[in-house]
Amino acid sequence: MLTPVLNKVVIFGVGLIGGSFARALKHAGAVHTVVGIGRSQASMARALELGIIDVVGGDMAQALDGADLVLLAAPVAQTGTILASIAPHLQPATIVTDAGSTKSDVVAAARAALKGKVAQFVPGHPIAGRETNGPDAAIVDLYQGKKVVLTPLAENRAQDVDKVAAAWRACGAILHTLSPEEHDKVFAAVSHLPHLLAFALVDDIANKPHAGLLFQYAASGFRDFTRIAGSSPEMWRDISLANQPALLAELDSYMAQLAALRAHLAAHDGKAIEQVYASAQHARQQWIEAIETAEVPAAPTQ
């Protein structure tokens, strides 16, 4: 068991992401006390009952007093409001990070809300998740072998970035670094667009007059393709709007690909269709091999 490295961690939002962070830190012996803050008192009470948190935060000054680390695990649209509520009570030794799926907007919100204290904010994004929500969704090994991307600011001190990285490593994560702009372009393509497509496909079928019949025969392929449409609509609304420019660019590119495939199909051009399918199959196989090599489980803690 590790000697605790964090005396007090405050988490805004103790569902899947924030709750799993708390569970993992506790399991690693890397934190003494976890304070949870959220909009739903029922969720806070459940997190306390499950042992995810030790204290439900009420008074902001008291909750932040002596905190080593604050994690924002709420929808990205709430970032500015939460940071503004933190700012007056943020002590010099407290580092703030987040788990938002977009970064440029989060950085802008942090600069506006924290002003002279923005150096204490280290942006982050754990690349892990499920389509379930709430404290009951939190699991201890969500981050084992998964990537966490940090997008440090020029103002950040190296030791503060290291503190955030150490907390994620205690959860079993593998750390990567990107700029906020690089992050948003990358995840527009490989995360935000797939979610948009899954939501759109399920909504399209649900609105057909024979939707019941269609869903009756939908099997594993449809289930796998649309799994992420079970994710939080509020969270993904916020992500889509926050990363609008990059997501629009990726959507336009995808629509062009669909238009090309439609033209091949209309022309009965089986060779062209097969070439697209084969290229995609090869790329996916290479990707699977790469992540299976890179994302090995973290070594057990002694």
Side-chain angles (χ1 to χ4, degrees), residues 14-15 38-50 53 56 134-135:
V14 289
R39 295 178 297 176
S40 167
Q41 289 305 307
S43 291
M44 291 298 103
R46 181 60 175 158
L48 190 63
E49 178 186 358
L50 291 171
I53 61 176
V56 176

Side-chain angles (χ1 to χ4, degrees), residues 198-259:
F199 282 122
L201 177 59
V202 175
D203 188 58
D204 177 58
I205 291 179
N207 286 310
K208 294 182 185 295
H210 56 310
L213 180 65
L214 297 176
F215 283 125
Q216 179 182 347
Y217 290 100
S220 59
F222 181 83
R223 180 196 62 212
D224 294 344
F225 185 80
T226 63
R227 175 186 61 80
I228 50 179
S231 303
S232 166
E234 177 189 14
M235 181 179 76
W236 283 98
R237 173 203 67 196
D238 291 350
I239 291 169
S240 298
L241 293 173
N243 204 21
Q244 185 216 47
L247 182 54
L248 281 175
E250 292 300 332
L251 184 58
D252 288 344
S253 176
Y254 190 77
M255 290 172 69
Q257 174 78 329
L258 289 180

Side-chain angles (χ1 to χ4, degrees), residues 5-50:
V5 294
L6 298 168
N7 182 57
K8 184 179 183 180
V9 172
V10 180
I11 301 177
F12 286 80
V14 289
L16 173 67
I17 299 301
S20 295
F21 182 72
R23 282 196 182 280
L25 287 180
K26 286 178 166 243
H27 180 73
V31 64
H32 281 301
T33 303
V34 177
V35 179
I37 300 176
R39 295 178 297 176
S40 167
Q41 289 305 307
S43 291
M44 291 298 103
R46 181 60 175 158
L48 190 63
E49 178 186 358
L50 291 171

Side-chain angles (χ1 to χ4, degrees), residues 92-122:
T94 303
I95 307 306
V96 183
T97 188
D98 78 306
S101 295
T102 54
K103 293 274 75 78
S104 297
D105 63 310
V106 165
V107 170
R111 293 192 184 283
L114 297 179
K115 298 181 172 62
K117 298 180 179 180
V118 74
Q120 293 172 243
F121 180 73
V122 180

Side-chain angles (χ1 to χ4, degrees), residues 11-13 16-19 21 70-76 79 82 96-103 106 121-129 142-143 147-151 164 168 183 192 235-236 239:
I11 301 177
F12 286 80
L16 173 67
I17 299 301
F21 182 72
V70 177
L71 172 69
L72 276 57
V76 290
T79 300
I82 294 173
V96 183
T97 188
D98 78 306
S101 295
T102 54
K103 293 274 75 78
V106 165
F121 180 73
V122 180
H125 177 201
I127 315 306
L142 181 65
Y143 304 114
K147 297 181 180 70
V148 169
V149 178
L150 299 184
T151 63
V164 175
W168 283 115
H183 171 280
H192 308 165
M235 181 179 76
W236 283 98
I239 291 169

